[in-house]
Amino acid sequence: MRWTSRIVLVAISVMVLTGQACAQGTLRIGMTASDIPLTTGQTDNGGEGMRFMGYTVYDALVNWDLSSADKPSDIVPGLATSWSVDSGDKTKWIFRLRDGVTFHDGSAFTAESVVWNFEKLLNDKSPQFDPRQAAQGRSRIPSVASYRVIDKATLEIITKSPDATLPYQLAWIMMSSPAQFEKVGKNWDVFAKTPSGTGPWKLTALVPRERAEMVPNPAYWDKSRVPKLDKMVLIPLPEANARIAALRSGQVDWIEAPAPDAVPSLTKAGFVIVTNSYPHNWTWHFSRLPGSPWNDIRLRKAANLAVDREGMKELLSGLMIPAKGFFPPGHQWFGSPKFNVTYNPTEAKKLLAEAGYGPNKPLTTKILISASGSGQMLPLPMNEFIQQNLADVGIKVDFEVIEVNTLINVWRAGAKHDSARGVSGLNFSYVILDPFNGLIRWVQCDLTAPAGVNWGYYCEPEMDKMLDQVRNTFDPAEQTKVLQKVHEKYVDDALFLMVTHDVNPRAISSKVKGFVQARNWFQDFSPISMAK
């Protein structure tokens, strides 16, 4: 055991023995991640990384409204107070920046800061370029062609072509302090230990794979979001049973993704189970490379018809919404698809037979999955359930299980990369917050690796034409109509194995007060306090 580990364990033991396991105002959270997310700005560990180390220590030009549990979140001004597209040139955007904002190190946030942060992701010749952050952030802003300072408080961004989804893309780009980077010798590894953003929280302690500690930023520009807690502590606990044990023992006050079978006993013990619908689906992303079985629409539909989603809902103690498409039923972009995503093994067997498969010739394939991780729900039992469903109709699936960050790297590298191991699909959960992240980035022809995360190399001119329409439709009501057509094609062509939509369950101590679970991947920890 490392000395740092011993010190932490001894400190915890001392506090427990003295009855001071949690000082008033300290919230301890058990994450599903196996490590503390990257602290330099663009986080790793998927959406959970952004939740705990992105929108806490940092801000984007465009933030998310996380204040309501009753309506879907939408974007709001962040470090930019407003933005507009040129009426005569739809590729030219002007962003007006917030005055008086400072980074945690006390340096001023300006338009020069924004350009510097774009350079850290997009310009591999710049001194601040960081391959790790670029891997996380570059694919989030594929539309950005150029950027320049107009004045201290005004920024111009030029897109490669008209793109009405640009503000949503920018909500993923976190602003790190150029001054702090200079102060630590232009070294991102050193910066990671003492990071500086503009967010409501400051990172004060970091022990990789063990814990991170944050305290409020009293100088935060949005005074209504200065945190009430004295401290927030993040503890990586990737195994669901370990998270539950930590909650029961009082090691943590809050856990992400409790095991569904533990929910009744946790409730009986006085813990609160918080859920809400949010923009997250859980899918198998099919490879569309030559030789993949999923190039046959009959096989894609057969797989979708073979999954007993109501049975899986029972497995998960009700903590899911059975998929009827890539978006959940009732979503404003759902539209009216013709293919009914339902459990129909008889029809699945018929489609398999039409494609040349049957009891004596099962379809065999391999899928990459993770053991845990951000947004992955409970991937092992869920995938084993699907494996049995598919076997029942004549599809034999083998799994290769890898760590979630490795899976994310495979996903970014694309199905053609050697790291994909020749599989025909991978199990991944997707953030479907907005037009770009909800629909465009998974299927556009020119967003394959390294330009984007069209992992399976799907490419169809009809789809690209509709996606181009989305980008060129700046009126929200008209854009919604186009997005509905896009989603209808997703479903009617069975482009993914559409399994479930998560309800984002977390189990928390009754001492945790003031938390509002937004219908979003990200959450606001500022209103939270701890009762005595």
Side-chain angles (χ1 to χ4, degrees):
M1 183 182 291
R2 292 178 297 176
W3 282 109
T4 51
S5 302
R6 292 181 179 178
I7 291 168
V8 169
L9 290 175
V10 168
I12 291 173
S13 299
V14 170
M15 287 189 293
V16 171
L17 289 172
T18 59
Q20 296 175 358
C22 178
Q24 174 62 29
T26 296
L27 171 67
R28 300 157 303 167
I29 297 176
M31 303 186 299
T32 70
S34 60
D35 198 0
I36 300 299
L38 190 64
T39 62
T40 46
Q42 296 305 130
T43 67
D44 57 7
N45 279 287
E48 187 175 51
M50 285 288 286
R51 181 184 310 137
F52 289 120
M53 198 59 71
Y55 282 110
T56 47
V57 179
Y58 298 92
D59 285 303
L61 292 178
V62 180
N63 285 352
W64 286 94
D65 180 0
L66 304 174
S67 62
S68 174
D70 302 323
K71 61 183 180 181
S73 295
D74 205 350
I75 51 176
V76 293
L79 294 176
T81 56
S82 65
W83 49 88
S84 59
V85 65
D86 191 300
S87 59
D89 180 358
K90 298 293 187 181
T91 67
K92 183 183 293 185
W93 292 74
I94 298 296
F95 287 78
R96 308 291 181 185
L97 305 185
R98 196 173 296 279
D99 185 46
V101 175
T102 58
F103 289 100
H104 297 157
D105 57 87
S107 61
F109 168 78
T110 66
E112 286 87 353
S113 309
V114 182
V115 169
W116 187 93
N117 274 275
F118 281 140
E119 294 281 281
K120 82 177 180 184
L121 304 178
L122 302 177
N123 181 4
D124 61 6
K125 301 296 189 295
S126 69
Q128 68 268 30
F129 179 75
D130 182 6
R132 289 171 298 179
Q133 292 191 73
Q136 307 299 329
R138 184 192 296 268
S139 66
R140 298 290 185 184
I141 47 173
S143 295
V144 174
S146 65
Y147 33 84
R148 70 182 182 95
V149 173
I150 293 179
D151 59 43
K152 183 179 178 181
T154 312
L155 178 79
E156 177 187 85
I157 297 178
I158 304 295
T159 57
K160 297 170 185 175
S161 59
D163 191 348
T165 73
L166 177 67
Y168 290 102
Q169 295 177 37
L170 295 176
W172 287 89
I173 306 304
M174 302 288 105
M175 296 293 145
S176 310
S177 167
Q180 181 72 353
F181 182 73
E182 293 289 330
K183 182 180 177 181
V184 299
K186 300 182 179 180
N187 186 315
W188 282 114
D189 290 333
V190 179
F191 185 101
K193 298 173 184 177
T194 55
S196 178
T198 65
W201 296 88
K202 294 181 178 182
L203 184 69
T204 55
L206 173 64
V207 181
R209 296 192 177 276
E210 292 183 11
R211 64 197 288 116
E213 298 183 2
M214 302 179 192
V215 299
N217 172 18
Y220 189 55
W221 55 266
D222 184 350
K223 297 307 177 187
S224 69
R225 291 191 59 229
V226 173
K228 294 181 179 179
L229 290 166
D230 297 320
K231 184 186 295 185
M232 184 162 68
V233 181
L234 306 178
I235 302 173
L237 293 169
E239 209 280 317
N241 288 331
R243 290 195 297 277
I244 291 168
L247 183 66
R248 289 185 183 279
S249 68
Q251 181 187 353
V252 298
D253 312 292
W254 165 315
I255 61 172
E256 300 285 285
D261 60 1
V263 166
S265 63
L266 287 173
T267 302
K268 188 175 180 180
F271 296 103
V272 180
I273 308 299
V274 184
T275 65
N276 204 348
S277 63
Y278 79 127
H280 167 216
N281 63 23
W282 193 92
T283 71
W284 282 8
H285 195 148
F286 294 135
S287 168
R288 301 300 295 273
L289 296 178
S292 171
W294 309 120
N295 286 320
D296 190 327
I297 190 173
R298 295 169 297 186
L299 299 181
R300 299 196 304 272
K301 286 188 172 181
N304 273 281
L305 293 170
V307 177
D308 179 8
R309 294 167 184 81
E310 290 298 329
M312 182 175 285
K313 185 174 183 178
E314 185 175 342
L315 171 73
L316 297 178
S317 300
L319 298 178
M320 62 167 271
I321 299 170
K324 298 294 288 183
F326 203 68
F327 279 87
H331 192 278
Q332 66 266 31
W333 301 336
F334 192 87
S336 303
K338 296 180 177 62
F339 176 53
N340 183 18
V341 178
T342 189
Y343 181 48
N344 190 338
T346 301
E347 181 64 20
K349 291 177 182 177
K350 179 181 175 183
L351 288 167
L352 280 162
E354 289 177 7
Y357 297 95
N360 298 322
K361 186 188 175 184
L363 169 63
T364 60
T365 191
K366 182 183 283 188
I367 304 294
L368 273 177
I369 68 173
S370 65
S372 66
S374 171
Q376 294 295 86
M377 300 179 70
L378 298 177
L380 292 180
M382 292 169 71
N383 276 303
E384 288 167 357
F385 185 91
I386 294 173
Q387 184 182 45
Q388 184 59 57
N389 282 170
L390 297 186
D392 291 343
V393 302
I395 302 175
K396 183 179 182 299
V397 177
D398 291 321
F399 293 130
E400 184 157 347
V401 184
I402 57 179
E403 193 270 333
V404 69
N405 260 338
T406 304
L407 181 67
I408 291 171
N409 290 336
V410 174
W411 167 69
R412 293 188 188 282
K416 289 182 180 179
H417 196 268
D418 290 345
S419 63
R421 301 161 171 83
V423 299
S424 74
L426 50 77
N427 166 223
F428 217 77
S429 60
Y430 284 134
V431 179
I432 49 176
L433 278 170
D434 57 77
F436 178 71
N437 287 290
L439 294 168
I440 294 173
R441 70 193 305 236
W442 321 125
V443 295
Q444 185 169 302
C445 289
D446 63 1
L447 290 182
T448 55
V453 287
N454 178 351
W455 178 82
Y457 287 81
Y458 167 87
C459 182
E460 188 172 330
E462 181 186 349
M463 178 67 87
D464 262 22
K465 184 178 179 180
M466 286 194 289
L467 299 180
D468 191 52
Q469 265 189 286
V470 172
R471 286 194 162 101
N472 281 276
T473 305
F474 288 81
D475 176 77
E478 291 303 312
Q479 188 184 73
T480 292
K481 294 177 184 177
V482 183
L483 290 165
Q484 288 173 346
K485 296 296 182 186
V486 173
H487 184 256
E488 288 167 5
K489 186 167 180 60
Y490 260 73
V491 180
D492 291 340
D493 290 354
L495 297 184
F496 292 74
L497 181 61
M498 298 165 281
V499 181
T500 182
H501 302 281
D502 197 2
V503 293
N504 204 16
R506 36 183 58 100
I508 62 178
S509 164
S510 59
K511 293 182 179 179
V512 178
K513 304 298 181 183
F515 175 55
V516 175
Q517 180 148 311
R519 293 168 64 176
N520 196 296
W521 269 69
F522 316 126
Q523 300 296 327
D524 186 3
F525 303 99
S526 294
I528 297 172
S529 61
M530 297 293 291
K532 294 182 179 179

